[in-house]
Amino acid sequence: GHDGSVLTMVVTPDGARAQIPEHRFAPGTPPITVRPSALAQVVSELAGSPVNVQRARILWVVDTHAVVIESDSAFDPTWRDRGRVLVLLERNRSLAIPRPPVSIAPVSVVGIARTLLGIQAAQDVPWPQALTRRESERLGIRAAILASSVRTSDGVELTSSTASPSTAAPSTTTTAP
C-alpha cells in the first residue's frame, strides 16, 4: 500500500543522516568494539562515537601522526580488501613505532570514529601530506579514527604525548635491565 512507498522515501536519502553532528556521544561513553573492516563498512552509523578497533594490522605508517590499518583476520580473509581505516592521532600525540616497523602484528586503536570528509573538513588534526586522494582511493580507505591510543596486543602503548618536549625524558637514557 501507500505506507511502503512513504517508508522507502524516508530511508533512501542519505542527506538526512548528514545533518547529525559527528560528536553525538557524551564523554565517558564506553567505546564500541569493532573490527577495522566493519568500521569501514558502517562509518556513517558510528561517526562521532568512541570506538575500540581490535585486531587491526598496520598496513602503512604514513608519518608520525598517521597510520593506515586493515583487519588482521586469518578467519575472514575475504574482508581484507573491503575497507581500510586511516588512524590520525590527536594533536598532542605522536607514534613511537620503529621505522620501518619490526612487525605489522595486530594492534588495537581507541579513539573517535570519523568520516574521511569530516576529519578533513574539521581540521582537528593536519591531514598527512603523503595521503593524496589517489592514494586513499587506491588503498580503499573508507573511514578514519581520531585516535588517543594505539596498542599492541600485549598492551604496549605505541603513542606518546608530545605536549611539552621539555618535560619528556629523553628515550636514549633508558638502559636495558
Side-chain angles (χ1 to χ4, degrees), residues 23 51 86-91 109-114 119 124-125 144-149:
H23 295 283
V51 289
L86 172 66
V87 176
L88 291 179
L89 294 184
E90 290 173 349
R91 260 190 198 284
V109 180
V110 175
I112 304 294
R114 302 292 299 264
I119 205 163
D124 296 320
V125 284
I145 301 169
L146 185 57
S148 54
S149 164

Side-chain angles (χ1 to χ4, degrees), residues 16-101:
R17 202 189 293 135
Q19 306 304 315
I20 304 165
E22 285 207 41
H23 295 283
R24 283 179 289 191
F25 286 76
T29 308
I32 299 157
T33 300
V34 65
R35 291 276 177 93
S37 50
L39 178 61
Q41 303 284 301
V42 296
V43 64
S44 55
E45 310 297 330
L46 292 178
S49 42
V51 289
N52 181 354
V53 178
Q54 298 280 356
R55 295 196 61 76
R57 214 164 86 101
I58 295 174
L59 183 72
W60 178 28
V61 179
V62 185
D63 59 30
T64 54
H65 298 95
V67 291
V68 176
I69 58 170
E70 64 180 2
S71 282
D72 177 44
S73 175
F75 314 109
D76 199 2
T78 52
W79 276 98
R80 176 140 310 151
D81 300 317
R82 289 222 193 136
R84 276 138 182 187
V85 176
L86 172 66
V87 176
L88 291 179
L89 294 184
E90 290 173 349
R91 260 190 198 284
N92 59 342
R93 303 198 73 79
S94 72
L95 285 164
I97 300 181
R99 293 191 64 167

Side-chain angles (χ1 to χ4, degrees), residues 10-11 40 60 92 125 147 159 164:
V10 176
V11 175
W60 178 28
N92 59 342
V125 284
T159 72
S164 46

Side-chain angles (χ1 to χ4, degrees), residues 79-158:
W79 276 98
R80 176 140 310 151
D81 300 317
R82 289 222 193 136
R84 276 138 182 187
V85 176
L86 172 66
V87 176
L88 291 179
L89 294 184
E90 290 173 349
R91 260 190 198 284
N92 59 342
R93 303 198 73 79
S94 72
L95 285 164
I97 300 181
R99 293 191 64 167
V102 180
S103 153
I104 44 177
V107 294
S108 61
V109 180
V110 175
I112 304 294
R114 302 292 299 264
T115 61
L116 286 175
L117 181 62
I119 205 163
Q120 245 183 318
Q123 297 181 326
D124 296 320
V125 284
W127 186 261
Q129 294 267 295
L131 193 63
T132 59
R133 181 173 175 168
R134 198 164 150 225
E135 275 298 294
S136 170
E137 283 173 3
R138 186 178 72 78
L139 289 168
I141 298 171
R142 302 215 162 79
I145 301 169
L146 185 57
S148 54
S149 164
V150 178
R151 286 179 184 219
T152 61
S153 44
D154 51 356
V156 178
E157 181 57 55
L158 296 176

